[in-house]
C-alpha cells in the first residue's frame, strides 16, 4: 500500500483503485476504530464504486489501519485529520474529488469540505443531529471519555456499555487500543460551520442508528443536502445494498 508523510511528518497509508475515467475520483474516510478494509471493502462500497467506473482512494486515518499510531493525544483531533485529507490530495495532485465519510470519517469529511475547495461533492453516513448540536460525536449517545475508557479497560467486563461496540470492533480488527483512546480523547468539542458547505451533499443514515438520530436536521443545515434513510444501525447500515446504491447514484450525477 502507498504511504506518504502528512503535514506533521506522520506516515499515513492509503489505497487507490483506478477507474475507467469519466467520473471525479472518490475519496473515502472510514469511521472510528475501523479502517479501509472494515468500513469500505468488506461492506461492498468499494466494489460498487469500482463497478460504476470510479477511481476510488481510501485513507487509513492516523491511529488506524496501516497508518502510524502514536499514543500521544496531541497527534490527534479532527483538525489534524482534516489536514491529513488535504495532504493526501496534495500528494496525489488532485484538483477535484468527491468525499465520502462514515461516522468519525463523516465529521472529518464535513470539516474538510468546509475548508478545502477541491471537494466538489460530499456524502456522509453514520451521523445526524449530533453534528448540528455538538459539532461532532453525539454525546447524548456516547461520550469520548467513555470510548477511551472502553479502549483502556483491562477487563472487557468493565467496559462501559456505550463504548462496548467500539471496543469489540477494535479487538476484532486488532486495533491499537491506546492509540484509539488518544483519538477519542482528542475529539472535537465545539461547533462546525455547516453554512459554509455549498457543494452537492448526500446524508445517509441508518434508520436504527442512535448516532445518526434526526438526520433531517443535519440535511436541513446544509444548503441543498438530500437525505436517504438506510435500513440498519450504526454498524450495519453501511453494509446494506441500499447504502452503496444511493451513494453510487448520487456520485454519478453530473
Amino acid at each position: 500500500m502507498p504511504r506518504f508523510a502528512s503535514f506533521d511528518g506522520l506516515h499515513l497509508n492509503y489505497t487507490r483503485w483506478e477507474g475507467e475515467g469519466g467520473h471525479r475520483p472518490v475519496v473515502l474516510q472510514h469511521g472510528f476504530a475501523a479502517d479501509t478494509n472494515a468500513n469500505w471493502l468488506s461492506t461492498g462500497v468499494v466494489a460498487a464504486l469500482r463497478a460504476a467506473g470510479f477511481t476510488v482512494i481510501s485513507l487509513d486515518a492516523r491511529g488506524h489501519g496501516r497508518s502510524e499510531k502514536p499514543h500521544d493525544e496531541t497527534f490527534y483531533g479532527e483538525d489534524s485529520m482534516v489536514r491529513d485529507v488535504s495532504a493526501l490530495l496534495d500528494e496525489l495532485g488532485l484538483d477535484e474529488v468527491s468525499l465520502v465519510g462514515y461516522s468519525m470519517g463523516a465529521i472529518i469529511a464535513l470539516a474538510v469540505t468546509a475548508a478545502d475547495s477541491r471537494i466538489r461533492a460530499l456524502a456522509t453516513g453514520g451521523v445526524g443531529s449530533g453534528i448540528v448540536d455538538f459539532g461532532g460525536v453525539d454525546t447524548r449517545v456516547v461520550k469520548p471519555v467513555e470510548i477511551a475508557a472502553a479502549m483502556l479497560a483491562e477487563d472487557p467486563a468493565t467496559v462501559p456499555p456505550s463504548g462496548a461496540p467500539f471496543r469489540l470492533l477494535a479487538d476484532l480488527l486488532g486495533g491499537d487500543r491506546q492509540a484509539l483512546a488518544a483519538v477519542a480523547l482528542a475529539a472535537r468539542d465545539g461547533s462546525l460551520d455547516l453554512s459554509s458547505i455549498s457543494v452537492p451533499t448526500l446524508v445517509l443514515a441508518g434508520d436504527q442508528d442512535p448516532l445518526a438520530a434526526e438526520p433531517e436536521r443535519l440535511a436541513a443545515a446544509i444548503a441543498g443536502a438530500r437525505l436517504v434513510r438506510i435500513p440498519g444501525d450504526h454498524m450495519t447500515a453501511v453494509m446494506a445494498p441500499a447504502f452503496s446504491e444511493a451513494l453510487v447514484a448520487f456520485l454519478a450525477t453530473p
Side-chain angles (χ1 to χ4, degrees):
M1 283 187 183
R3 173 173 278 215
F4 74 103
S6 193
F7 69 94
D8 59 354
L10 202 70
H11 288 89
L12 306 179
N13 273 59
Y14 66 93
T15 308
R16 179 170 180 151
W17 298 268
E18 293 295 338
E20 298 173 354
H23 291 301
R24 188 186 300 123
V26 179
V27 175
L28 305 175
Q29 183 64 79
H30 61 76
F32 177 79
D35 58 17
T36 291
N37 290 341
N39 210 144
W40 306 122
L41 273 171
S42 67
T43 57
V45 173
V46 169
L49 290 169
R50 294 187 70 195
F54 289 94
T55 290
V56 182
I57 303 151
S58 182
L59 177 63
D60 276 349
R62 54 180 61 207
H64 296 74
R66 293 178 174 85
S67 292
E68 284 196 87
K69 305 174 183 66
H71 292 171
D72 185 341
E73 186 181 327
T74 61
F75 280 93
Y76 297 106
E78 281 85 356
D79 290 345
S80 293
M81 292 180 173
V82 166
R83 294 180 68 182
D84 289 339
V85 176
S86 292
L88 176 63
L89 301 188
D90 293 341
E91 173 74 13
L92 298 178
L94 296 173
D95 294 326
E96 57 177 59
V97 301
S98 298
L99 182 58
V100 181
Y102 196 82
S103 193
M104 176 192 77
I107 300 168
I108 295 165
L110 286 158
V112 174
T113 304
D116 194 321
S117 63
R118 291 173 290 185
I119 311 304
R120 303 298 176 85
L122 168 68
T124 68
V127 292
S129 61
I131 300 291
V132 179
D133 295 335
F134 305 108
V137 65
D138 193 332
T139 55
R140 292 165 297 205
V141 180
V142 61
K143 294 177 173 56
V145 292
E146 294 169 343
I147 297 175
M151 292 298 143
L152 297 176
E154 291 295 330
D155 181 358
T158 66
V159 169
S162 58
F166 300 101
R167 169 62 179 261
L168 177 61
L169 180 60
D171 287 345
L172 283 172
L173 298 180
D176 184 325
R177 291 192 283 107
Q178 273 192 275
L180 292 171
V183 173
L185 292 172
R188 176 187 297 277
D189 181 17
S191 61
L192 182 58
D193 184 10
L194 300 175
S195 67
S196 64
I197 296 175
S198 58
V199 302
T201 300
L202 174 67
V203 175
L204 295 162
D207 59 6
Q208 301 297 318
D209 184 356
L211 285 168
E214 301 178 302
E216 66 277 2
R217 290 183 55 209
L218 173 59
I222 302 171
R226 185 160 62 92
L227 168 64
V228 175
R229 296 181 187 272
I230 304 296
D233 58 23
H234 196 68
M235 298 298 178
T236 63
V238 68
M239 304 177 188
F243 186 98
S244 294
E245 290 165 4
L247 182 61
V248 168
F250 168 71
L251 295 176
T253 303

